[in-house]
Amino acid sequence: MTTISLRGIRSIVGGLAALLALSCGDSASGPDGGCTGPVESCTLRELATSAGVRIGAGAAVSRLVRDDPEYAGQMARHFNALTPNAELKWQATQPERHLRRFESADLLVDFAAQNRMEIRGHTLVWAHEDVYDVLPQYVNDVTDAGRLREVTREHVNAVMERYRGRIRRWDVVNEPLTIAGEALHDNVYRRLLGDRWVSEVFRMAAAADPDAELWLNENLALSNAAKADTLYELVAEMVADGVPIDGIGFQGHFLGGAPDAGHVETTVRRFADLGLRVAITEMDIPMPDGAEGAERQGTDFYETIAACLRVSACEEVTFWGFTDAHTWLDGFLGRPARPLPLDGEYREKPAYDGVRQALAERAGL
Ligand code: 9MR
């Protein structure tokens, strides 16, 4: 019987995706070039290349990349960056102490390399206990500070060392604040290590891979001014204390419609003025009902992204998904949300045109 190795399967998948990326393009340049034709004929990837920024497909699912050549090919055609959905989270990479699982994450990391896409390492520590099971039970069960530091250092070292040089930017801590954003979220880290726990984890990450960019990723700050203030206080204190932090990721799940563009630009500028890089890391806006819904969504995508990209420190926009065929919001809202730039059949929506226009402006086209 002929057998084929996992590595062999991965390289076939990557090769097919690259081939599809090349063959289904009637766009105005090769997959790694900038936009050379009329803006309307260029992909987001080409425009982002021209602008020198990253445009990312988030919530990338390894199973779909492996089994669905259209999903894989379209992702590589339209985007120059990806963020894994759950493959790099602690629960996935080490569900039990000393039980390490990297197959799914490896598949995405290899796919990104084969298609010359940047990858955002999402995420080293996400310590919510009440939303999803993202932190393994053995970590939630820890009752003393020394032990918590030990298991965290083990995890951070294992993951960052495995992908050193291949994943160059990490969401070190995800969502440290409460949903309303008035304070740090209550969790095992805050209880055992105190309010400086976020800084401690950043220092561990810097020790594990001194060359990696270290980011903090938080939700709702672009649509909630009070939360933006709390986040600013936390991060400004980290910067003042000399904590190794390079960037702030604003998630951008705009379930109630687009945020105020003025607030987006002011907030991005404020964090940039601390010397930080900035990204929108998980953007989606459900499509409003009615005949004008698609156009409204297009305008919302344009205004939000253009506001970020007007600040030079804003160097990435990643969506949480990229096609309406696969979005967490369908389950979360209990209805088809259609919150992404490509429709369920990979056709470009007005939302895609909105992103295109914002990227073209940043590129000076
Ligand atoms: O969309 C993701 C969902 O499929 C996973 O089950 C879940 C837990 O791993 O994470 C979701 O993604 C979240 C992201 O990692 C952080 N910000 C909020 C996202 C939506 O809940």
Short mmCIF file of all heavy atoms in Angstrom, two decimals, residues 328-352:
data_model
loop_
_atom_site.label_atom_id
_atom_site.label_comp_id
_atom_site.label_asym_id
_atom_site.label_seq_id
_atom_site.Cartn_x
_atom_site.Cartn_y
_atom_site.Cartn_z
N TRP A 328 -17.97 32.87 12.61
CA TRP A 328 -18.43 32.52 13.96
C TRP A 328 -19.75 33.21 14.29
O TRP A 328 -20.53 32.75 15.10
CB TRP A 328 -17.37 32.91 15.00
CG TRP A 328 -17.28 34.39 15.25
CD1 TRP A 328 -16.83 35.35 14.38
CD2 TRP A 328 -17.67 35.10 16.43
NE1 TRP A 328 -16.90 36.59 14.95
CE2 TRP A 328 -17.41 36.47 16.22
CE3 TRP A 328 -18.21 34.70 17.66
CZ2 TRP A 328 -17.69 37.44 17.18
CZ3 TRP A 328 -18.47 35.68 18.62
CH2 TRP A 328 -18.21 37.04 18.37
N LEU A 329 -20.04 34.34 13.59
CA LEU A 329 -21.21 35.14 13.93
C LEU A 329 -22.52 34.45 13.58
O LEU A 329 -23.54 34.73 14.21
CB LEU A 329 -21.14 36.51 13.24
CG LEU A 329 -20.22 37.52 13.93
CD1 LEU A 329 -20.11 38.80 13.10
CD2 LEU A 329 -20.72 37.84 15.34
N ASP A 330 -22.52 33.55 12.60
CA ASP A 330 -23.77 32.82 12.29
C ASP A 330 -24.26 32.07 13.52
O ASP A 330 -25.44 32.09 13.86
CB ASP A 330 -23.56 31.84 11.12
CG ASP A 330 -23.48 32.55 9.78
OD1 ASP A 330 -23.58 33.80 9.75
OD2 ASP A 330 -23.30 31.86 8.76
N GLY A 331 -23.32 31.41 14.20
CA GLY A 331 -23.67 30.68 15.42
C GLY A 331 -23.97 31.63 16.57
O GLY A 331 -24.94 31.45 17.31
N PHE A 332 -23.17 32.66 16.69
CA PHE A 332 -23.29 33.59 17.81
C PHE A 332 -24.61 34.36 17.75
O PHE A 332 -25.28 34.56 18.76
CB PHE A 332 -22.10 34.55 17.78
CG PHE A 332 -21.97 35.42 18.99
CD1 PHE A 332 -21.46 34.92 20.19
CD2 PHE A 332 -22.34 36.76 18.94
CE1 PHE A 332 -21.33 35.73 21.31
CE2 PHE A 332 -22.22 37.58 20.06
CZ PHE A 332 -21.71 37.06 21.24
N LEU A 333 -24.98 34.80 16.54
CA LEU A 333 -26.21 35.59 16.40
C LEU A 333 -27.42 34.72 16.09
O LEU A 333 -28.55 35.19 16.14
CB LEU A 333 -26.05 36.65 15.29
CG LEU A 333 -24.94 37.70 15.51
CD1 LEU A 333 -24.85 38.61 14.29
CD2 LEU A 333 -25.20 38.53 16.76
N GLY A 334 -27.18 33.47 15.69
CA GLY A 334 -28.29 32.57 15.37
C GLY A 334 -28.99 32.90 14.06
O GLY A 334 -30.17 32.60 13.87
N ARG A 335 -28.27 33.57 13.16
CA ARG A 335 -28.82 33.88 11.83
C ARG A 335 -27.64 34.15 10.90
O ARG A 335 -26.53 34.42 11.38
CB ARG A 335 -29.72 35.11 11.89
CG ARG A 335 -28.99 36.36 12.34
CD ARG A 335 -29.88 37.60 12.30
NE ARG A 335 -29.24 38.74 12.96
CZ ARG A 335 -28.37 39.56 12.40
NH1 ARG A 335 -27.98 39.38 11.15
NH2 ARG A 335 -27.84 40.56 13.08
N PRO A 336 -27.88 34.12 9.57
CA PRO A 336 -26.75 34.42 8.68
C PRO A 336 -26.34 35.89 8.85
O PRO A 336 -27.16 36.79 8.69
CB PRO A 336 -27.34 34.19 7.28
CG PRO A 336 -28.56 33.35 7.48
CD PRO A 336 -29.09 33.73 8.84
N ALA A 337 -25.10 36.11 9.21
CA ALA A 337 -24.65 37.47 9.53
C ALA A 337 -24.03 38.18 8.32
O ALA A 337 -24.04 39.41 8.25
CB ALA A 337 -23.64 37.42 10.67
N ARG A 338 -23.48 37.42 7.41
CA ARG A 338 -22.83 37.96 6.20
C ARG A 338 -21.92 39.15 6.52
O ARG A 338 -22.08 40.24 5.96
CB ARG A 338 -23.90 38.31 5.16
CG ARG A 338 -24.62 37.05 4.67
CD ARG A 338 -25.73 37.36 3.71
NE ARG A 338 -26.85 37.97 4.42
CZ ARG A 338 -27.84 38.64 3.83
NH1 ARG A 338 -27.85 38.78 2.52
NH2 ARG A 338 -28.82 39.16 4.53
N PRO A 339 -20.94 38.96 7.41
CA PRO A 339 -20.18 40.09 7.94
C PRO A 339 -18.82 40.32 7.29
O PRO A 339 -18.01 41.09 7.82
CB PRO A 339 -19.97 39.67 9.40
CG PRO A 339 -19.79 38.17 9.31
CD PRO A 339 -20.64 37.71 8.14
N LEU A 340 -18.55 39.69 6.15
CA LEU A 340 -17.17 39.68 5.64
C LEU A 340 -17.08 40.19 4.20
O LEU A 340 -18.10 40.34 3.52
CB LEU A 340 -16.61 38.26 5.77
CG LEU A 340 -16.43 37.84 7.25
CD1 LEU A 340 -16.34 36.35 7.43
CD2 LEU A 340 -15.21 38.55 7.85
N PRO A 341 -15.87 40.45 3.69
CA PRO A 341 -15.73 41.09 2.37
C PRO A 341 -16.11 40.22 1.18
O PRO A 341 -16.48 40.74 0.13
CB PRO A 341 -14.24 41.45 2.29
CG PRO A 341 -13.70 41.34 3.66
CD PRO A 341 -14.59 40.40 4.42
N LEU A 342 -16.01 38.88 1.30
CA LEU A 342 -16.41 37.99 0.20
C LEU A 342 -17.69 37.27 0.59
O LEU A 342 -17.86 36.90 1.76
CB LEU A 342 -15.31 36.96 -0.08
CG LEU A 342 -13.98 37.52 -0.61
CD1 LEU A 342 -12.92 36.41 -0.66
CD2 LEU A 342 -14.16 38.12 -2.01
N ASP A 343 -18.59 37.07 -0.36
CA ASP A 343 -19.83 36.37 -0.01
C ASP A 343 -19.58 34.87 0.10
O ASP A 343 -18.44 34.40 0.02
CB ASP A 343 -20.96 36.75 -0.98
CG ASP A 343 -20.85 36.07 -2.34
OD1 ASP A 343 -19.99 35.18 -2.52
OD2 ASP A 343 -21.62 36.44 -3.24
N GLY A 344 -20.65 34.11 0.30
CA GLY A 344 -20.50 32.68 0.53
C GLY A 344 -19.96 31.93 -0.66
O GLY A 344 -19.53 30.78 -0.55
N GLU A 345 -19.97 32.58 -1.83
CA GLU A 345 -19.41 31.95 -3.02
C GLU A 345 -18.16 32.66 -3.50
O GLU A 345 -17.79 32.59 -4.67
CB GLU A 345 -20.47 31.90 -4.12
CG GLU A 345 -21.29 30.64 -3.97
CD GLU A 345 -22.74 30.83 -4.38
OE1 GLU A 345 -23.00 31.71 -5.21
OE2 GLU A 345 -23.59 30.10 -3.86
N TYR A 346 -17.53 33.36 -2.60
CA TYR A 346 -16.25 34.03 -2.86
C TYR A 346 -16.35 35.16 -3.88
O TYR A 346 -15.38 35.50 -4.54
CB TYR A 346 -15.16 33.00 -3.29
CG TYR A 346 -14.92 31.94 -2.25
CD1 TYR A 346 -15.52 30.69 -2.36
CD2 TYR A 346 -14.14 32.20 -1.13
CE1 TYR A 346 -15.33 29.71 -1.38
CE2 TYR A 346 -13.95 31.23 -0.15
CZ TYR A 346 -14.55 29.99 -0.29
OH TYR A 346 -14.36 29.04 0.68
N ARG A 347 -17.56 35.73 -3.99
CA ARG A 347 -17.68 36.91 -4.86
C ARG A 347 -17.42 38.16 -4.04
O ARG A 347 -17.78 38.22 -2.85
CB ARG A 347 -19.10 36.97 -5.47
CG ARG A 347 -19.30 35.91 -6.55
CD ARG A 347 -20.71 35.98 -7.08
NE ARG A 347 -21.65 35.81 -5.99
CZ ARG A 347 -22.73 35.01 -6.05
NH1 ARG A 347 -23.00 34.33 -7.13
NH2 ARG A 347 -23.53 34.91 -5.01
N GLU A 348 -16.84 39.15 -4.69
CA GLU A 348 -16.52 40.40 -4.01
C GLU A 348 -17.80 41.19 -3.73
O GLU A 348 -18.61 41.38 -4.62
CB GLU A 348 -15.55 41.22 -4.87
CG GLU A 348 -14.24 40.50 -5.06
CD GLU A 348 -13.34 41.13 -6.13
OE1 GLU A 348 -13.60 42.27 -6.55
OE2 GLU A 348 -12.37 40.45 -6.52
N LYS A 349 -17.95 41.63 -2.48
CA LYS A 349 -19.12 42.41 -2.07
C LYS A 349 -18.76 43.89 -2.05
O LYS A 349 -17.59 44.26 -2.10
CB LYS A 349 -19.54 41.97 -0.65
CG LYS A 349 -20.06 40.56 -0.57
CD LYS A 349 -20.07 40.05 0.86
CE LYS A 349 -20.96 40.87 1.80
NZ LYS A 349 -20.88 40.35 3.19
N PRO A 350 -19.76 44.77 -1.89
CA PRO A 350 -19.43 46.18 -1.66
C PRO A 350 -18.46 46.35 -0.49
O PRO A 350 -17.64 47.27 -0.50
CB PRO A 350 -20.80 46.80 -1.37
CG PRO A 350 -21.76 45.96 -2.17
CD PRO A 350 -21.22 44.55 -2.07
N ALA A 351 -18.54 45.46 0.50
CA ALA A 351 -17.58 45.54 1.62
C ALA A 351 -16.14 45.38 1.10
O ALA A 351 -15.22 46.05 1.57
CB ALA A 351 -17.90 44.47 2.66
N TYR A 352 -15.96 44.50 0.12
CA TYR A 352 -14.63 44.31 -0.48
C TYR A 352 -14.18 45.60 -1.16
O TYR A 352 -13.04 46.04 -1.02
CB TYR A 352 -14.71 43.16 -1.48
CG TYR A 352 -13.37 42.68 -2.02
CD1 TYR A 352 -12.76 41.52 -1.51
CD2 TYR A 352 -12.72 43.35 -3.06
CE1 TYR A 352 -11.56 41.07 -2.01
CE2 TYR A 352 -11.52 42.90 -3.57
CZ TYR A 352 -10.94 41.75 -3.05
OH TYR A 352 -9.74 41.30 -3.55
#
